[in-house]
């Protein structure tokens, strides 16, 4: 969710790069707890953003898989994940709250991760939060793609209430479509954009919607695009982002190649007018995350696949951060301004969010979820 910006949009690229190079912000590094749902009273140590990149070093956040994150304009964020990769050992979906102090960049983590979706068949969560503090989670409710089904959950938080609170669930496990690996984004106007893989095809689909009438207690989603999804491309692992101006950026991996592409789009009534071109983003790559801001900047993270220097096998995943901007004249492309050197060996399987002031991202590898924060451009 993107809040209206108060910063000037007239800064040049040189100014942006200067800010990203010289500004430092503290991040509280957390130690992992004993598992999802376990309390943690461990101490923290302060770290700072690298002078080479805008992102702080990745630090341990929790245990789990397929992490997703949503960040409110207040600095409160919600991280959601599944407890396991496998049906037999999965206990369901957990969430943990965090808070970024916008003036210092310090991160406070809730001592407790809460189970909100108990069950073995809840995987691939994606979370978003509205300006009012309504939390929406979509997820897969099946163990394999061929019979993929998806559901959503809606709850409420006090966006200014800090990390010591729980989500008050209003809608539980509401089926909405067949499909696999859904992703969701909500802008400041309350427009919901969702994308997912088809359950038994190579096609990618999107939906648009809004919460029916939360003011009167109806937190169900009204799908403005109709009862089914709208096909827009083919591929795997889509991630969609929508800003307050109706700009859409989607990233996904190609179906038969280790190539990540992006697609720009624009809201047009109850549809998204997607570009018919899908520029190459990275190769070989395992997955990507993206967020588009109101000032037209685009923050992107991908897991670049590289060979192990000892064995020669292509099993290393090096996280790379990119910063770009929507081209004002060509609606099909993003102008990439800077790219970080590859860092830690970890597949993404995480989330990325920004409120226009700060940004937060998560990764996952071997059941360990890590987190990093940045200053938004």
């Amino acid at each position: 969710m993107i809040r209206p910006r108060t910063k000037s949009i007239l800064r040049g690229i040189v100014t942006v790069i200067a800010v990203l190079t010289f500004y430092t912000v503290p991040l509280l590094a957390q130690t992992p707890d004993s598992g999802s749902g376990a309390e943690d009273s461990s101490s923290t140590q302060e770290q700072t953003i690298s002078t080479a990149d805008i992102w702080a070093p990745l630090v341990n956040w929790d245990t789990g898989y397929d992490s997703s994150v949503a960040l409110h304009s207040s600095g409160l964020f919600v991280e959601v994940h599944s407890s396991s990769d496998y049906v037999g050992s999965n206990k369901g979906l957990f969430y943990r709250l965090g808070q970024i102090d916008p003036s210092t960049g310090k991160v406070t983590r809730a001592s407790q991760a809460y189970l909100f979706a108990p069950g073995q068949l809840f995987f691939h969560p994606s979370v978003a939060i509205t300006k009012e503090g309504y939390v929406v989670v979509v997820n897969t409710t099946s163990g394999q793609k061929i019979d993929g089904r998806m559901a959503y959950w809606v709850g409420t938080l006090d966006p200014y209430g800090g990390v010591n609170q729980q989500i008050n669930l209003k809608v539980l496990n509401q089926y909405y479509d067949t499909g696999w690996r859904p992703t969701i984004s909500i802008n400041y106007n309350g427009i919901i954009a969702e994308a997912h893989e088809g359950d038994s095809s190579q096609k990618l689909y999107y939906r648009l919607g809004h919460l029916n009438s939360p003011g009167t207690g109806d937190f169900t989603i009204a799908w403005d695009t109709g009862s089914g999804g709208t096909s827009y491309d083919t591929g795997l692992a889509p991630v969609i982002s929508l800003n307050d101006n109706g700009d859409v950026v989607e990233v996904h991996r190609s179906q038969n190649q280790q190539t990540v592409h992006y697609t720009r789009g624009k809201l047009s009534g109850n549809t998204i007018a997607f570009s018919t071109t899908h520029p190459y983003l990275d190769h070989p790559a395992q997955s990507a995350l993206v967020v588009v801001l109101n000032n037209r900047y685009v923050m992107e993270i991908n897991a670049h696949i590289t060979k192990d220097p000892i064995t020669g096998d292509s099993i290393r995943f090096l996280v790379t951060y990119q910063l770009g901007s929507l081209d004002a004249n060509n609606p099909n492309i993003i102008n990439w301004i800077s790219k970080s050197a590859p860092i830690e060996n970890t597949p993404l399987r995480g989330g990325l969010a920004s409120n226009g002031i700060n940004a937060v991202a998560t990764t996952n590898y071997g059941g360990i979820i890590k987190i990093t924060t940045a200053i938004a451009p």
Side-chain angles (χ1 to χ4, degrees):
M1 191 274 295
I2 310 299
R3 84 171 200 175
R5 296 295 303 265
T6 59
K7 301 178 183 177
S8 172
I9 304 175
L10 300 178
R11 292 179 299 178
I13 291 176
V14 174
T15 304
V16 173
I17 294 176
V19 170
L20 302 184
T21 303
F22 296 109
Y23 198 96
T24 62
V25 126
L27 170 72
L28 295 186
Q30 306 286 347
T31 56
D33 62 21
S34 57
S36 290
E39 292 193 8
D40 177 31
S41 58
S42 59
S43 62
T44 62
Q45 69 180 42
E46 191 169 286
Q47 296 190 0
T48 58
I49 288 178
S50 164
T51 56
D53 303 306
I54 63 173
W55 290 94
L58 287 161
V59 294
N60 291 345
W61 173 259
D62 207 337
T63 57
Y65 295 82
D66 291 322
S67 173
S68 179
V69 66
L71 176 60
H72 190 267
S73 60
S74 65
L76 183 72
F77 63 89
V78 184
E79 185 274 328
V80 178
H81 58 270
S82 58
S83 65
S84 176
D85 252 356
Y86 303 102
V87 172
S89 57
N90 188 26
K91 298 177 182 179
L93 301 180
F94 288 78
Y95 71 89
R96 188 186 289 268
L97 301 184
Q99 179 84 42
I100 301 177
D101 185 327
S103 62
T104 66
K106 290 184 177 180
V107 174
T108 303
R109 183 183 74 157
S111 61
Q112 177 86 26
Y114 292 99
L115 175 68
F116 80 95
Q120 293 183 327
L121 294 178
F122 297 136
F123 298 98
H124 314 133
S126 179
V127 61
I129 188 169
T130 72
K131 62 182 178 183
E132 298 88 356
Y134 306 144
V135 178
V136 182
V137 176
V138 293
N139 63 273
T140 301
T141 63
S142 53
Q144 54 184 350
K145 179 175 178 176
I146 194 170
D147 58 356
R149 295 169 63 84
M150 302 177 299
Y152 69 85
W153 310 66
V154 183
T156 61
L157 283 173
D158 177 358
Y160 302 95
V163 301
N164 295 318
Q165 59 176 314
Q166 296 184 46
I167 296 175
N168 182 12
L169 288 174
K170 302 295 185 180
V171 179
L172 285 70
N173 194 27
Q174 177 65 53
Y175 167 80
Y176 70 93
D177 205 348
T178 59
W180 190 249
R181 290 187 180 277
T183 173
I184 191 171
S185 177
I186 303 178
N187 69 9
Y188 205 73
N189 305 313
I191 300 173
I192 299 170
E194 184 267 5
H196 61 269
E197 300 176 23
D199 60 336
S200 58
S201 71
Q202 299 181 4
K203 292 183 178 180
L204 298 175
Y205 298 84
Y206 79 87
R207 283 169 166 258
L208 293 175
H210 65 277
L211 296 179
N212 262 309
S213 181
T216 60
D218 185 356
F219 288 87
T220 59
I221 296 177
W223 295 109
D224 301 315
T225 43
S227 59
T230 301
S231 176
Y232 68 93
D233 204 349
T234 59
L236 300 169
V239 173
I240 196 167
S241 179
L242 167 69
N243 71 12
D244 299 344
N245 306 315
D247 297 308
V248 177
V249 176
E250 184 268 1
V251 294
H252 64 269
R253 190 173 81 243
S254 60
Q255 183 73 27
N256 300 314
Q257 303 177 34
Q258 294 175 331
T259 303
V260 174
H261 299 265
Y262 71 85
T263 306
R264 284 184 57 180
K266 190 74 175 179
L267 286 184
S268 178
N270 291 332
T271 64
I272 300 176
F274 275 112
S275 168
T276 56
T277 63
H278 314 289
Y280 155 90
L281 188 60
D282 192 20
H283 175 82
Q286 180 245 10
S287 57
L289 305 170
V290 72
V291 62
V292 56
L293 305 179
N294 287 342
N295 60 3
R296 301 178 64 85
Y297 281 106
V298 179
M299 304 178 79
E300 186 270 341
I301 308 176
N302 66 72
H304 181 79
I305 301 173
T306 188
K307 293 182 181 297
D308 187 282
I310 299 176
T311 66
D313 296 329
S314 296
I315 57 173
R316 301 184 74 214
F317 303 93
L318 298 181
V319 173
T320 302
Y321 306 107
Q322 284 198 102
L323 174 65
S325 64
L326 301 179
D327 190 289
N329 299 313
N330 187 337
N332 302 319
I333 65 172
I334 296 171
N335 299 314
W336 298 106
I337 300 168
S338 64
K339 185 174 183 178
S340 74
I343 60 169
E344 189 163 337
N345 178 20
T346 176
L348 279 181
R349 302 189 61 182
L352 171 62
S354 178
N355 58 9
I357 300 173
N358 297 100
V360 59
T362 57
T363 68
N364 168 249
Y365 192 30
I368 300 296
I369 297 169
K370 295 191 176 186
I371 192 169
T372 176
T373 62
I375 305 162

